[in-house]
Amino acid sequence: MRRKVIIPIIGLFLLMACARQESYTVSIAGDDKMEGMQHLYESNTYGYYFGVDSDLTKGKTKSNIIEMNHADDSLYLMIESAGMERQIAVQVFMDYEQIPIIVDGSPYFTYYINAGERYSEEIPFQLGIEVNEQYSHKMVTCMTVSSDLHECDTEGTPTNVYSLAYDWILKFDKEQELFLKEKEYQSPTKEYQDMWNGLLINNDITELKRTFPPKEIQCSPGEKIELQYQIGGLGNCEEVLMLLSLDMKQIMVDNKNYLVFRERDKNIMSGTVMITAPEQPGLYDLTGWIIEDPFKNEQKEDFPLAAAPRFTIHVTL
């Protein structure tokens, strides 16, 4: 399956502390696979794993490219989870817009799994929309753990260690061009450089400080919410894309499905955007990811996307 993420021992302890017993796949020298698992190691007691494959790419050297004969062929989610019972949410985005997937003949806009303490499953699925096979397409897949919990009900600081997400190139022919839509670049309020990179969303819309978001933001049903973003700081890329979800479903940001930024000289970009709160009272967690060079049709390593710290939007009357 997809490559495992290897993290140094010091990084492992930091990761486990931040994630409240949730972590990526970790390998330590001499470690053995956990009983009943294909990818998780014994040392990763509370870990999880996520990968996607097709019949054409199974067993081959992995990259960010998934090959298919036809768009209605099966793809495969590989999910492993250990150490605790978790609800897991899976989202699939085609050309950066969330789409339904078909599992066992039924459509799911977001697919949920109730995983036990030792869960390992390969789940066949089909894309729930028609796809133009004359082009290659970008397909983002996101697995979010503890999707039934809310950040406001947890202890500690909001964390970005809650998901494994990948930006794949879906190819039907090796020589295909990438399907591209018209894009409009976002104009940030300020740009600067610092020893940081990634994506951060919070509610500081005055000083635009790069601080963790509060665990909870309260609002009224249907209220327009202004949020600050900090995005970028990445090298070797020309563009970055912001993808946000609320309640494990894609949300419009400034009336767009996603935002695109020019990445210049490793700059961090900051500004504000508007989202709309749900109409029904309740707790809704905001999650998000940053994607490097979203419109490049190049083979590269399939490394997980960086996520924004997760927080709760509390809609109350």
Side-chain angles (χ1 to χ4, degrees), residues 39-314:
H39 305 277
L40 289 181
Y41 288 79
E42 287 287 354
S43 59
N44 200 19
T45 313
Y46 291 93
Y48 48 87
Y49 173 90
F50 181 53
V52 178
D53 244 319
S54 71
D55 287 320
L56 296 182
T57 55
K58 279 187 178 182
K60 295 183 179 180
T61 302
K62 304 306 181 185
S63 69
N64 64 323
I65 294 176
I66 297 179
E67 298 176 356
M68 298 180 72
N69 284 320
H70 300 289
D72 57 359
D73 291 345
S74 289
L75 293 164
Y76 303 91
L77 304 170
M78 183 64 204
I79 297 175
E80 292 188 340
S81 177
M84 60 189 297
E85 294 183 355
R86 294 185 178 103
Q87 185 188 84
I88 295 172
V90 176
Q91 296 170 260
V92 176
F93 301 79
M94 187 64 62
D95 301 316
Y96 306 117
E97 294 184 22
Q98 187 171 354
I99 65 168
I101 62 172
I102 310 298
V103 180
D104 292 331
S106 298
Y108 299 89
F109 191 65
T110 300
Y111 184 67
Y112 292 94
I113 298 159
N114 292 316
E117 294 183 4
R118 288 206 174 189
Y119 179 87
S120 178
E121 195 75 33
E122 182 181 82
I123 303 170
F125 74 97
Q126 294 81 41
L127 303 173
I129 63 168
E130 292 187 8
V131 177
N132 186 342
E133 297 179 12
Q134 301 303 310
Y135 294 90
S136 296
H137 296 265
K138 282 299 192 82
M139 182 180 75
V140 171
T141 54
C142 305
M143 179 189 78
T144 301
V145 298
S146 301
S147 53
D148 56 336
L149 302 180
H150 300 288
E151 189 65 31
C152 64
D153 295 327
T154 64
E155 298 178 358
T157 304
T159 175
N160 63 353
V161 186
Y162 55 81
S163 77
L164 282 171
Y166 295 90
D167 183 33
W168 313 111
I169 299 175
L170 202 61
K171 281 186 174 288
F172 305 98
D173 186 285
K174 292 183 179 179
E175 305 303 322
Q176 284 179 322
E177 294 183 357
L178 188 68
F179 178 78
L180 295 175
K181 299 178 181 178
E182 291 186 8
K183 59 186 174 183
E184 177 184 348
Y185 290 108
Q186 194 77 6
S187 298
T189 302
K190 68 176 182 178
E191 297 187 36
Y192 65 98
Q193 294 188 346
D194 203 343
M195 297 289 292
W196 179 88
N197 63 69
L199 173 62
L200 178 73
I201 307 292
N202 65 28
N203 63 341
D204 175 11
I205 59 174
T206 54
E207 298 185 28
L208 300 182
K209 289 184 177 180
R210 197 176 68 238
T211 56
F212 278 104
K215 297 177 74 65
E216 177 182 323
I217 294 175
Q218 293 195 358
C219 63
S220 302
E223 181 181 337
K224 300 292 183 181
I225 306 172
E226 188 174 10
L227 297 172
Q228 184 219 164
Y229 63 83
Q230 302 263 351
I231 188 170
L234 301 166
N236 302 318
C237 70
E238 299 173 1
E239 299 172 329
V240 292
L241 183 145
M242 179 199 299
L243 197 64
L244 297 185
S245 287
L246 192 63
D247 195 33
M248 311 302 145
K249 303 172 187 65
Q250 186 174 22
I251 187 172
M252 302 287 281
V253 185
D254 282 352
N255 296 314
K256 304 180 184 73
N257 285 301
Y258 52 81
L259 300 182
V260 184
F261 301 80
R262 295 185 191 273
E263 174 68 293
R264 292 182 284 248
D265 302 322
K266 298 184 180 180
N267 281 1
I268 300 165
M269 293 152 285
S270 181
T272 65
V273 292
M274 299 292 293
I275 67 171
T276 303
E279 293 292 343
Q280 296 299 318
L283 300 175
Y284 303 86
D285 273 28
L286 189 138
T287 54
W289 302 270
I290 177 176
I291 299 163
E292 302 176 41
D293 284 330
F295 307 108
K296 279 196 174 179
N297 193 16
E298 296 179 356
Q299 182 171 328
K300 60 182 181 179
E301 193 175 13
D302 60 327
F303 202 76
L305 302 176
R310 174 174 166 177
F311 62 90
T312 303
I313 292 180
H314 185 181

